[in-house]
Amino acid sequence: DQQVKQNSPSLSVQEGRISILNCDYTNSMFDYFLWYKKYPAEGPTFLISISSIKDKNEDGRFTVFLNKSAKHLSLHIVPSQPGDSAVYFCAASPNSGGSNYKLTFGKGTLLTVNP
Amino acid sequence: KAGVTQTPRYLIKTRGQQVTLSCSPISGHRSVSWYQQTPGQGLQFLFEYFSETQRNKGNFPGRFSGRQFSNSRSEMNVSTLELGDSALYLCASRRGGADTQYFGPGTRLTVL
């Protein structure tokens, strides 16, 4: 039973345009959500997170939106750059810290930004 | 500040053998978590150690075990290896509270 789903295995966008990566979850206990980026032969790199008490969080070119009622979150990258080409993982946890911090990951979306 | 390091980076074993993987967290980080990444199942949580105690566990068989030392370094052991254990094993560390988790580069285990 996949509790975190990234339904698009891949996404291709032009440099300078917006990239929108989507993620759905089924577990109502999830309270904290994160996006990680992963290059081949490297571990995932933290990008941005959002707590369930918020519906938006921005960090530079990256914005995460959370729709709790739809159990959906999205990552917007504006403007997209070729260096953003990587696999993006959505992850969720029952809380943001403490003993019950346990990340459940989606299967990832391969983003390709074309020059 | 040095990142999370994992050794070895690559490992080849045969079915039935056992293997031990090592993880050194970022200095000052007391929590170490282990994840398994496979093409079919994606990234799956194995367990978390904090101050030498396992405080969270995923849905993996007892063949997968771990421990943490007083300096926060952690080891993961897999006994009686199966072909399906071939995967990238990732270690991640964080301070322990509400803090970002940082991943190491992983150990690529191949079971023949």
Side-chain angles (χ1 to χ4, degrees):
Chain A
D1 174 33
Q2 225 183 316
Q3 298 184 61
V4 177
K5 296 179 186 178
Q6 294 177 256
N7 291 319
S8 299
S10 63
L11 175 68
S12 182
V13 299
Q14 283 300 119
E15 181 178 5
R17 306 295 289 268
I18 184 171
S19 295
I20 300 176
L21 297 106
N22 293 303
C23 178
D24 297 297
Y25 62 96
T26 57
N27 190 336
S28 302
M29 300 302 292
F30 288 145
D31 194 48
Y32 185 62
F33 305 88
L34 310 90
W35 285 93
Y36 281 83
K37 175 171 77 172
K38 188 178 185 299
Y39 295 116
E42 294 182 15
T45 302
F46 170 76
L47 273 177
I48 192 168
S49 62
I50 187 167
S51 164
S52 63
I53 61 172
K54 292 184 165 185
D55 54 20
K56 178 182 173 183
N57 189 25
E58 275 182 271
D59 185 1
R61 296 186 297 114
F62 302 92
T63 302
V64 56
F65 294 92
L66 175 63
N67 181 334
K68 288 185 298 260
S69 60
K71 294 191 176 68
H72 176 84
L73 64 155
S74 60
L75 174 69
H76 292 209
I77 306 173
V78 184
S80 301
Q81 299 172 354
D84 295 330
S85 297
V87 177
Y88 287 77
F89 290 96
C90 167
S93 175
N95 57 35
S96 61
S99 60
N100 203 24
Y101 184 94
K102 172 181 146 180
L103 294 182
T104 300
F105 283 85
K107 293 197 174 181
T109 297
L110 173 63
L111 173 66
T112 304
V113 180
N114 302 301
Chain B
K1 195 173 184 182
V4 178
T5 56
Q6 292 186 244
T7 56
R9 291 294 311 276
Y10 302 91
L11 205 48
I12 299 175
K13 292 285 187 179
T14 55
R15 275 183 299 174
Q17 287 187 308
Q18 75 163 18
V19 67
T20 300
L21 312 181
S22 181
C23 171
S24 292
I26 292 170
S27 177
H29 286 194
R30 295 165 63 193
S31 164
V32 174
S33 295
W34 288 89
Y35 293 84
Q36 181 197 64
Q37 185 183 20
T38 58
Q41 298 300 319
L43 267 159
Q44 292 185 286
F45 173 78
L46 278 154
F47 31 65
E48 181 198 17
Y49 284 87
F50 180 80
S51 293
E52 302 178 64
T53 301
Q54 186 183 91
R55 69 174 179 179
N56 218 337
K57 191 176 186 308
N59 297 321
F60 278 82
R63 300 186 298 108
F64 291 82
S65 63
R67 60 177 176 168
Q68 187 179 34
F69 302 96
S70 58
N71 62 358
S72 294
R73 190 177 70 86
S74 177
E75 287 182 347
M76 189 192 93
N77 185 276
V78 188
S79 62
T80 320
L81 284 165
E82 301 176 0
L83 295 178
D85 297 333
S86 293
L88 180 68
Y89 290 88
L90 291 157
C91 163
S93 77
R94 62 189 178 102
R95 273 191 286 266
D99 184 38
T100 301
Q101 198 166 65
Y102 296 90
F103 283 82
T107 294
R108 172 72 62 186
L109 171 65
T110 301
V111 182
L112 302 176

Short mmCIF file of all heavy atoms in Angstrom, two decimals, chain B residues 65-96:
data_model
loop_
_atom_site.label_atom_id
_atom_site.label_comp_id
_atom_site.label_asym_id
_atom_site.label_seq_id
_atom_site.Cartn_x
_atom_site.Cartn_y
_atom_site.Cartn_z
N SER B 65 19.25 -5.65 10.92
CA SER B 65 19.43 -5.14 12.27
C SER B 65 20.45 -4.02 12.24
O SER B 65 21.15 -3.82 11.24
CB SER B 65 19.90 -6.25 13.22
OG SER B 65 21.17 -6.74 12.81
N GLY B 66 20.52 -3.31 13.34
CA GLY B 66 21.48 -2.21 13.38
C GLY B 66 21.91 -1.95 14.80
O GLY B 66 21.43 -2.57 15.75
N ARG B 67 22.82 -1.03 14.92
CA ARG B 67 23.22 -0.55 16.24
C ARG B 67 23.87 0.80 16.08
O ARG B 67 24.28 1.19 14.98
CB ARG B 67 24.17 -1.53 16.91
CG ARG B 67 25.48 -1.81 16.17
CD ARG B 67 26.34 -2.75 17.00
NE ARG B 67 27.56 -3.13 16.29
CZ ARG B 67 28.60 -3.74 16.88
NH1 ARG B 67 28.55 -4.03 18.18
NH2 ARG B 67 29.65 -4.07 16.18
N GLN B 68 23.96 1.49 17.21
CA GLN B 68 24.61 2.80 17.22
C GLN B 68 25.58 2.85 18.39
O GLN B 68 25.28 2.36 19.48
CB GLN B 68 23.56 3.92 17.36
CG GLN B 68 24.15 5.31 17.19
CD GLN B 68 23.10 6.40 17.31
OE1 GLN B 68 22.15 6.27 18.07
NE2 GLN B 68 23.28 7.48 16.55
N PHE B 69 26.70 3.46 18.14
CA PHE B 69 27.75 3.55 19.15
C PHE B 69 27.68 4.88 19.88
O PHE B 69 26.94 5.78 19.47
CB PHE B 69 29.12 3.36 18.48
CG PHE B 69 29.24 2.04 17.75
CD1 PHE B 69 28.98 1.96 16.38
CD2 PHE B 69 29.58 0.88 18.43
CE1 PHE B 69 29.08 0.75 15.71
CE2 PHE B 69 29.68 -0.33 17.77
CZ PHE B 69 29.42 -0.40 16.41
N SER B 70 28.46 4.99 20.93
CA SER B 70 28.40 6.19 21.77
C SER B 70 28.83 7.45 21.01
O SER B 70 28.47 8.56 21.37
CB SER B 70 29.26 6.02 23.03
OG SER B 70 30.59 5.74 22.67
N ASN B 71 29.59 7.29 19.93
CA ASN B 71 29.99 8.47 19.13
C ASN B 71 28.99 8.74 18.00
O ASN B 71 29.27 9.52 17.10
CB ASN B 71 31.40 8.27 18.55
CG ASN B 71 31.47 7.06 17.60
OD1 ASN B 71 30.48 6.36 17.40
ND2 ASN B 71 32.64 6.83 17.03
N SER B 72 27.84 8.10 18.05
CA SER B 72 26.73 8.24 17.10
C SER B 72 26.93 7.50 15.79
O SER B 72 25.99 7.42 15.00
CB SER B 72 26.38 9.71 16.82
OG SER B 72 25.88 10.31 17.98
N ARG B 73 28.09 6.96 15.56
CA ARG B 73 28.29 6.14 14.35
C ARG B 73 27.35 4.94 14.41
O ARG B 73 27.03 4.45 15.50
CB ARG B 73 29.74 5.67 14.27
CG ARG B 73 30.11 5.02 12.93
CD ARG B 73 31.59 4.64 12.89
NE ARG B 73 31.90 3.54 13.78
CZ ARG B 73 31.77 2.25 13.45
NH1 ARG B 73 31.32 1.90 12.26
NH2 ARG B 73 32.09 1.31 14.34
N SER B 74 26.90 4.52 13.25
CA SER B 74 25.93 3.42 13.23
C SER B 74 26.37 2.36 12.23
O SER B 74 27.06 2.63 11.25
CB SER B 74 24.55 3.96 12.84
OG SER B 74 23.59 2.92 12.73
N GLU B 75 25.98 1.14 12.52
CA GLU B 75 26.19 0.03 11.60
C GLU B 75 24.86 -0.65 11.34
O GLU B 75 23.98 -0.70 12.22
CB GLU B 75 27.17 -1.00 12.20
CG GLU B 75 28.60 -0.55 12.24
CD GLU B 75 29.53 -1.61 12.79
OE1 GLU B 75 29.05 -2.61 13.37
OE2 GLU B 75 30.75 -1.43 12.64
N MET B 76 24.73 -1.16 10.12
CA MET B 76 23.56 -1.94 9.76
C MET B 76 24.04 -3.31 9.31
O MET B 76 25.03 -3.41 8.59
CB MET B 76 22.82 -1.26 8.62
CG MET B 76 21.47 -1.88 8.33
SD MET B 76 20.77 -1.31 6.80
CE MET B 76 21.36 -2.56 5.72
N ASN B 77 23.37 -4.34 9.77
CA ASN B 77 23.76 -5.71 9.44
C ASN B 77 22.61 -6.42 8.74
O ASN B 77 21.44 -6.27 9.16
CB ASN B 77 24.15 -6.45 10.72
CG ASN B 77 24.67 -7.84 10.44
OD1 ASN B 77 23.90 -8.78 10.29
ND2 ASN B 77 25.98 -7.98 10.33
N VAL B 78 22.91 -7.13 7.69
CA VAL B 78 21.91 -7.97 7.05
C VAL B 78 22.47 -9.39 7.04
O VAL B 78 23.57 -9.63 6.52
CB VAL B 78 21.62 -7.54 5.60
CG1 VAL B 78 20.43 -8.33 5.05
CG2 VAL B 78 21.34 -6.05 5.52
N SER B 79 21.73 -10.30 7.64
CA SER B 79 22.19 -11.69 7.70
C SER B 79 21.46 -12.51 6.63
O SER B 79 20.41 -12.10 6.12
CB SER B 79 21.93 -12.28 9.08
OG SER B 79 20.54 -12.27 9.36
N THR B 80 22.02 -13.66 6.31
CA THR B 80 21.43 -14.59 5.35
C THR B 80 20.90 -13.84 4.13
O THR B 80 19.70 -13.81 3.84
CB THR B 80 20.29 -15.41 6.00
OG1 THR B 80 20.66 -15.79 7.33
CG2 THR B 80 20.02 -16.67 5.20
N LEU B 81 21.81 -13.23 3.42
CA LEU B 81 21.45 -12.38 2.28
C LEU B 81 20.63 -13.12 1.24
O LEU B 81 20.88 -14.30 0.94
CB LEU B 81 22.71 -11.81 1.64
CG LEU B 81 23.38 -10.66 2.39
CD1 LEU B 81 24.79 -10.41 1.86
CD2 LEU B 81 22.54 -9.40 2.29
N GLU B 82 19.66 -12.39 0.68
CA GLU B 82 18.84 -12.89 -0.42
C GLU B 82 19.06 -12.00 -1.63
O GLU B 82 19.50 -10.85 -1.50
CB GLU B 82 17.36 -12.88 0.00
CG GLU B 82 17.06 -13.72 1.21
CD GLU B 82 15.59 -13.60 1.65
OE1 GLU B 82 14.83 -12.86 0.99
OE2 GLU B 82 15.22 -14.26 2.63
N LEU B 83 18.73 -12.54 -2.81
CA LEU B 83 18.92 -11.76 -4.04
C LEU B 83 18.17 -10.42 -3.96
O LEU B 83 18.65 -9.39 -4.42
CB LEU B 83 18.43 -12.54 -5.25
CG LEU B 83 19.21 -13.81 -5.59
CD1 LEU B 83 18.60 -14.51 -6.81
CD2 LEU B 83 20.68 -13.52 -5.84
N GLY B 84 17.00 -10.45 -3.33
CA GLY B 84 16.18 -9.26 -3.23
C GLY B 84 16.73 -8.19 -2.31
O GLY B 84 16.18 -7.09 -2.25
N ASP B 85 17.80 -8.50 -1.61
CA ASP B 85 18.43 -7.50 -0.74
C ASP B 85 19.34 -6.58 -1.53
O ASP B 85 19.87 -5.60 -0.98
CB ASP B 85 19.23 -8.18 0.37
CG ASP B 85 18.36 -9.01 1.30
OD1 ASP B 85 17.16 -8.67 1.43
OD2 ASP B 85 18.87 -9.98 1.88
N SER B 86 19.54 -6.87 -2.81
CA SER B 86 20.35 -5.99 -3.66
C SER B 86 19.67 -4.63 -3.73
O SER B 86 18.50 -4.53 -4.12
CB SER B 86 20.48 -6.57 -5.07
OG SER B 86 21.23 -7.76 -5.05
N ALA B 87 20.37 -3.60 -3.33
CA ALA B 87 19.75 -2.28 -3.22
C ALA B 87 20.82 -1.25 -2.90
O ALA B 87 21.98 -1.58 -2.63
CB ALA B 87 18.70 -2.28 -2.11
N LEU B 88 20.39 0.00 -2.92
CA LEU B 88 21.20 1.10 -2.40
C LEU B 88 20.75 1.33 -0.96
O LEU B 88 19.56 1.56 -0.72
CB LEU B 88 21.00 2.35 -3.24
CG LEU B 88 21.78 3.60 -2.82
CD1 LEU B 88 23.28 3.38 -3.06
CD2 LEU B 88 21.28 4.83 -3.57
N TYR B 89 21.67 1.26 -0.04
CA TYR B 89 21.35 1.48 1.37
C TYR B 89 21.83 2.87 1.76
O TYR B 89 23.02 3.18 1.68
CB TYR B 89 21.95 0.39 2.25
CG TYR B 89 21.24 -0.93 2.03
CD1 TYR B 89 21.66 -1.81 1.04
CD2 TYR B 89 20.11 -1.25 2.78
CE1 TYR B 89 20.98 -2.99 0.81
CE2 TYR B 89 19.43 -2.45 2.56
CZ TYR B 89 19.87 -3.31 1.57
OH TYR B 89 19.18 -4.47 1.34
N LEU B 90 20.88 3.68 2.20
CA LEU B 90 21.17 5.07 2.53
C LEU B 90 21.07 5.30 4.03
O LEU B 90 20.17 4.79 4.68
CB LEU B 90 20.19 5.99 1.82
CG LEU B 90 20.35 6.08 0.30
CD1 LEU B 90 19.05 6.53 -0.35
CD2 LEU B 90 21.46 7.03 -0.06
N CYS B 91 21.98 6.07 4.51
CA CYS B 91 21.98 6.47 5.91
C CYS B 91 21.70 7.97 5.96
O CYS B 91 22.13 8.71 5.07
CB CYS B 91 23.36 6.14 6.48
SG CYS B 91 23.77 6.94 8.01
N ALA B 92 20.98 8.41 6.96
CA ALA B 92 20.68 9.83 7.10
C ALA B 92 20.83 10.22 8.56
O ALA B 92 20.51 9.44 9.46
CB ALA B 92 19.27 10.13 6.61
N SER B 93 21.30 11.42 8.80
CA SER B 93 21.45 11.86 10.19
C SER B 93 20.75 13.20 10.41
O SER B 93 20.53 13.98 9.48
CB SER B 93 22.93 11.96 10.58
OG SER B 93 23.55 13.12 10.06
N ARG B 94 20.40 13.46 11.67
CA ARG B 94 19.85 14.76 12.07
C ARG B 94 20.14 14.93 13.55
O ARG B 94 20.52 13.96 14.23
CB ARG B 94 18.35 14.85 11.79
CG ARG B 94 17.50 13.85 12.53
CD ARG B 94 16.06 13.88 12.03
NE ARG B 94 15.27 12.87 12.73
CZ ARG B 94 14.43 13.16 13.72
NH1 ARG B 94 14.25 14.40 14.12
NH2 ARG B 94 13.76 12.20 14.31
N ARG B 95 19.96 16.15 14.04
CA ARG B 95 20.30 16.40 15.44
C ARG B 95 19.42 15.59 16.37
O ARG B 95 19.84 15.12 17.42
CB ARG B 95 20.23 17.89 15.75
CG ARG B 95 21.52 18.62 15.45
CD ARG B 95 21.50 20.02 16.03
NE ARG B 95 20.64 20.88 15.23
CZ ARG B 95 21.06 21.64 14.25
NH1 ARG B 95 22.35 21.64 13.92
NH2 ARG B 95 20.24 22.41 13.58
N GLY B 96 18.13 15.46 15.99
CA GLY B 96 17.27 14.62 16.82
C GLY B 96 15.94 15.27 17.12
O GLY B 96 14.95 14.59 17.34
#
